[in-house]
Amino acid sequence: MLLPFAAQAQAAHDHSATYHAVWLDTGYGRHDGQDSAHWDADGWVGGDTHKLWLKSEGEVRDGDTEGEVWVLYSRNVSTFWNAQIGVRHDFGDADRTYLAVGVNGLASYFFETQAHLLVRGDGAIGARLRQENDLLLTNRLILSPSIEVNAISKADPQHGTGSGLTDATAALQLRYEINRRFAPYVQADYQRKLGETADRARAAGKSDEETRVTLGIRWLF
C-alpha cells in the first residue's frame, strides 16, 4: 500500500531531490459502549537512498490515550527494500522505549512488509511483523487486508504481557479514493491475545480477543 504510492510520489520528482510523503489514517469507532478515536501515520522525508522515517499509531478510548512513535533512519539496500534503525517509544499505560532494527519493503505478490527487532532497556527483546496489500476492486475502490504479529522475550506482569507471542491483529480496510489525498474508509479489526498473554488476560477476567469497526479518512500530504 505505502510503497506503490511512494513509488508514484517519487516518480514525479528528480532522483537527486529531497522529497517527502505522509499518510495519515484518522478513524472513529465504538466498542463495549465506549467511543474511541484512532490514528495511524506513516511518512518519510529524504532522497532515493537515505530517509528519515516517522510512524505513529494509537487510540484514545474513554479519555485514556495509548500509542507509539517510531523515528527511524532508513537506507535503501535494494530495489524494493530499506534497512532501518532507530527508536520506538510507547506511551500511555506502558511507557517504554525500544531500540528498533529491521527492514521495510515490498515482498512477493506486492505485500508491503515491515519486520523489526526491538530491544528494551531491561534486556527484553521483541519483534513485530506486519504485512499488508492493496487489492484494486476498481480504480478508486480499494480493499486492503493486513496482519500484524508481536512477540517479546520477557514477561511484563505489570501490563499483563507474557513472554513469547503476545498478540496478532488482522484488519480489512475498504476505502474509496475520491483522490489520492482524500479517501474515506471503513475498517474491521480483529485482535487476539496469544499464549501466556492470553492466559494472563483470562486469569484477570478480561477478554483475550477484540473486534472493532472503525469509520475514518485517509489523508495524503
Side-chain angles (χ1 to χ4, degrees):
M1 174 176 62
L2 181 61
L3 288 181
F5 285 179
Q8 291 169 17
Q10 292 178 24
H13 296 77
D14 183 86
H15 289 290
S16 63
T18 296
Y19 40 87
H20 72 277
V22 177
W23 290 260
L24 172 62
D25 285 5
T26 54
Y28 166 83
R30 189 170 177 81
H31 180 73
D32 287 342
Q34 296 179 340
D35 296 328
S36 61
H38 309 267
W39 77 88
D40 188 351
D42 199 341
W44 46 258
V45 59
D48 287 338
T49 304
H50 306 282
K51 293 182 178 66
L52 175 64
W53 208 292
L54 304 172
K55 303 192 297 180
S56 179
E57 62 179 305
E59 70 169 2
V60 181
R61 182 183 298 192
D62 197 26
D64 296 326
T65 302
E66 288 190 4
E68 58 189 41
V69 176
W70 298 65
V71 180
L72 300 165
Y73 163 68
S74 183
R75 190 186 193 287
N76 180 253
V77 293
S78 67
T79 303
F80 296 113
W81 290 95
N82 296 290
Q84 298 182 323
I85 185 170
V87 296
R88 184 186 104 183
H89 179 70
D90 297 352
F91 56 91
D93 184 46
D95 192 9
R96 305 282 195 185
T97 300
Y98 299 83
L99 170 68
V101 180
V103 294
N104 180 328
L106 197 61
S108 301
Y109 303 102
F110 302 103
F111 279 93
E112 184 194 343
T113 301
Q114 300 178 30
H116 292 92
L117 192 67
L118 304 162
V119 182
R120 208 164 61 195
D122 63 358
I125 298 175
R128 172 176 291 179
L129 173 64
R130 182 173 183 173
Q131 285 195 306
E132 56 185 304
N133 200 344
D134 277 352
L135 306 173
L136 274 63
L137 304 182
T138 70
N139 286 337
R140 294 181 181 273
L141 189 63
I142 299 169
L143 186 64
S144 182
S146 65
I147 187 166
E148 178 182 298
V149 180
N150 293 286
I152 191 78
S153 66
K154 190 174 183 179
D156 185 353
Q158 182 180 354
H159 299 101
T161 304
S163 60
L165 291 173
T166 58
D167 63 276
T169 302
L172 193 61
Q173 182 187 88
L174 180 65
R175 67 179 183 274
Y176 183 80
E177 291 189 344
I178 295 175
N179 56 54
R180 288 291 189 193
R181 298 182 180 276
F182 184 80
Y185 69 81
V186 58
Q187 179 168 319
D189 295 78
Y190 174 74
Q191 184 185 58
R192 179 68 183 267
K193 293 181 172 60
L194 303 172
E196 187 180 321
T197 301
D199 295 340
R200 290 174 182 270
R202 289 191 291 268
K206 299 178 181 178
S207 175
D208 61 357
E209 60 182 7
E210 178 179 294
T211 302
R212 71 184 184 198
V213 176
T214 304
L215 299 176
I217 295 174
R218 166 167 294 190
W219 311 83
L220 170 62
F221 302 97

